[in-house]
Amino acid sequence: MSLLLRGAETGAGPADCRVHDGRVHALAPELAPRRGERVIDARGGALLPGLTDHHIHLLATAAAMDSVRLTPGADLATAVRAAPAPHGWVRVLGYDEIRHGDLDRDVLDALEPARPVRVQHRGGSLWVLNSAALRRLGLDAGPLPPGVELDGGGRPTGRLWRADAVLRERLPLPPPDLSRLGAVLAAYGITSVTDATPDLDEQGVAHITAAMARGDLPQRVTFLGAAAPPPQARRAALGPRKIVVPDHTLPSPDDLAAAIRAARAARRAVALHCVTREALALIIAALTETGTVPGDRLEHCAVASPDALEFLARHDLRVITQPSLPAARGDDYLARVDPEDLPDLWRYAGFLRAGVRVAPSSDAPYGGLDPWAAMAAARDRATPSGLVLGPAERVPARTVLDGALSHPLDPGGPPARLAVGAPADLVLLRVPLARALREPDSSLVALTVIEGRIAYEAAP
């Protein structure tokens, strides 16, 4: 396919851009159209390399599109009773114990005793199942896998911690369709994603790569949770090894160090899930013992003290942050988080001032998928009520964009630039870049090209 974008704003000034055989074939002030070539008038809109979402859960995000999501003011009982049950299961997301009350199997049984129900905490680490669901999955008695919480009498409470792998193994449901998610990502100008699903099994990898091959998921994918490189999967890559440091039950320093050494033995860096101050202290202790390697990164790093920043910078540990979360949950953080943690919460500018490289991401479905909304959120740090969470952590929208333009295997590194010979993963905006950065909005995406093919085209 040959495509000519005429009159685009580029880093080197106004130019035409020819795309051919999946590459940027030419950039020049004026290019003559070729026979059979599609010509698109860019009308002075900015032409950029495609964006990367550096931390997303593909299968969970696709499944969330067909699930009931609780809003802050929603009534849990109403949501459960009115929820559809595709494949016979009720799936509810966004549970918050403060807003919706304490939840276990007995509470869910009172709301829905017949249909199997699973409710996910908004943070993603906890599922709560009713008795029908526990029986269906064989989690009500007998030998139980790790993560199944028991009460004082040894009875499952219905609360499953970090048990996504158990659910994937035992839940007799087809994997979610990825085509809708692929289209939404393309409409945001996202041409590459890093899948952060921990311990992603071969079936999950195969489902994702098959969707890529069909074109349902046109984006390039870097896998953190896969144990081995995807077999013969074009546009797929293996990244650092995802290691979850669970907040509710921290591993011993020796166990974490052993997991890091296992990744090193497989010649992989590590991507360490890290939310709390205690988890970060444990990670620093383990990495002090094992040493660091290029590519090591921290996912979230939601609370980071000044002493921790110095360690991260000295060892070139990247941080993958989620600017949308302070915007969406800022009021809750201000009300609930330990006051000692607030100055160190969801840093962005503080990481950069300390010399820590940072890349933005969505953490979808647990955070907002829209990278343009994330740019505005990081710039403003405004909570839903209009308060400001950590004004010293504000960064310009351009900083977030540059992070989204960094390579998936070099998050927070140099932003990609338009260049002849580079892969034709491109996003064309309706307006010049300066205006887009003043008013970041996904509606400004006019065209997304992945490997030289149009993946999204806005209506005129």
Side-chain angles (χ1 to χ4, degrees):
M1 177 181 179
S2 188
L3 178 68
L4 181 63
L5 305 174
R6 305 199 73 173
E9 178 196 66
T10 70
D16 294 352
C17 175
R18 170 167 287 119
V19 170
H20 185 70
D21 285 344
R23 298 274 172 180
V24 176
H25 189 265
L27 282 168
E30 188 171 350
L31 296 169
R34 294 175 172 176
R35 179 182 297 178
E37 185 172 60
R38 183 173 177 193
V39 179
I40 295 177
D41 186 356
R43 300 181 180 181
L47 182 63
L48 307 169
L51 310 185
T52 292
D53 186 331
H54 290 281
H55 182 119
I56 183 176
H57 302 266
L58 287 172
L59 298 178
T61 304
M65 291 178 166
D66 295 320
S67 303
V68 175
R69 181 172 290 279
L70 293 171
T71 59
D75 177 64
L76 177 61
T78 301
V80 169
R81 289 168 179 156
H87 311 293
W89 281 76
V90 173
R91 187 176 192 269
V92 179
L93 308 179
Y95 159 69
D96 180 323
E97 68 278 7
I98 301 297
R99 297 183 185 278
H100 305 120
D102 290 333
L103 193 60
D104 60 15
R105 68 185 293 175
D106 296 324
V107 174
L108 277 181
D109 286 350
L111 303 180
E112 176 53 79
R115 297 183 299 173
V117 177
R118 53 186 174 129
V119 178
Q120 188 177 43
H121 190 274
R122 70 176 190 175
S125 63
L126 171 67
W127 285 96
V128 186
L129 280 60
N130 68 350
S131 294
L134 290 170
R135 288 192 296 270
R136 186 79 65 89
L137 298 180
L139 296 174
D140 200 22
L144 298 172
V148 178
E149 182 183 276
L150 305 177
D151 65 18
R155 175 177 180 256
T157 65
R159 296 161 68 90
L160 277 62
W161 294 94
R162 291 284 171 197
D164 284 359
V166 174
L167 291 176
R168 285 196 299 269
E169 177 184 342
R170 300 191 180 209
L171 200 57
L173 301 180
D177 178 13
L178 290 163
S179 59
R180 182 178 170 194
L181 175 58
V184 171
L185 291 168
Y188 289 145
I190 295 172
T191 63
S192 172
V193 298
T194 296
D195 181 76
T197 306
D199 299 319
L200 186 64
D201 59 24
E202 292 181 4
Q203 291 77 18
V205 173
H207 181 68
I208 293 171
T209 54
M212 296 168 68
R214 290 191 303 268
D216 292 348
L217 186 70
Q219 287 74 22
R220 301 178 191 272
V221 179
T222 299
F223 291 95
L224 301 183
Q232 300 178 338
R234 193 171 56 84
R235 306 197 318 278
L238 192 65
R241 181 62 163 148
K242 175 77 175 285
I243 299 175
V244 174
V245 181
D247 316 314
H248 65 287
T249 164
L250 293 174
S252 71
D254 289 344
D255 286 347
L256 180 56
I260 294 171
R261 289 193 182 97
R264 303 283 193 252
R267 299 187 177 182
R268 292 176 70 178
V270 291
L272 295 155
H273 168 96
C274 173
V275 174
T276 64
R277 185 185 299 275
E278 293 76 14
L280 180 55
L282 175 63
I283 286 169
I284 288 174
L287 289 174
T288 299
E289 180 181 340
T290 65
T292 58
V293 300
D296 284 348
R297 46 188 270 176
L298 301 186
E299 312 301 307
H300 316 302
C301 202
V303 183
S305 67
D307 289 344
L309 297 183
E310 192 277 331
F311 180 90
L312 302 183
R314 186 170 72 252
H315 293 275
D316 195 25
L317 287 161
R318 317 300 177 90
V319 169
I320 313 302
T321 191
Q322 292 78 44
S324 69
L325 292 182
R329 304 179 187 174
D331 292 321
D332 289 343
Y333 293 145
L334 290 170
R336 303 184 200 177
V337 168
D338 187 329
E340 179 186 354
D341 285 344
L342 283 175
D344 302 331
L345 187 65
W346 287 112
R347 293 182 181 274
Y348 205 130
F351 284 129
L352 297 174
R353 286 192 296 267
V356 178
R357 290 195 261 189
V358 184
S361 70
S362 68
D363 193 25
Y366 314 113
L369 195 57
D370 183 348
W372 304 92
M375 294 176 209
R379 177 196 63 196
D380 301 336
R381 301 278 296 195
T383 74
S385 70
L387 299 175
V388 175
L389 178 67
E393 297 302 327
R394 290 168 165 159
V395 295
R398 181 59 192 252
T399 299
V400 184
L401 174 62
D402 283 348
L405 293 173
S406 61
H407 193 278
L409 296 178
D410 187 20
R417 302 296 185 204
L418 293 177
V420 173
D425 295 350
L426 308 169
V427 55
L428 175 67
L429 304 182
R430 298 178 185 270
V431 298
L433 183 57
R435 178 178 164 187
L437 294 174
R438 285 196 304 270
E439 304 170 9
D441 194 296
S442 60
S443 67
L444 299 178
V445 175
L447 186 77
T448 301
V449 176
I450 302 177
E451 283 198 314
R453 294 180 173 86
I454 294 174
Y456 168 77
E457 187 170 8

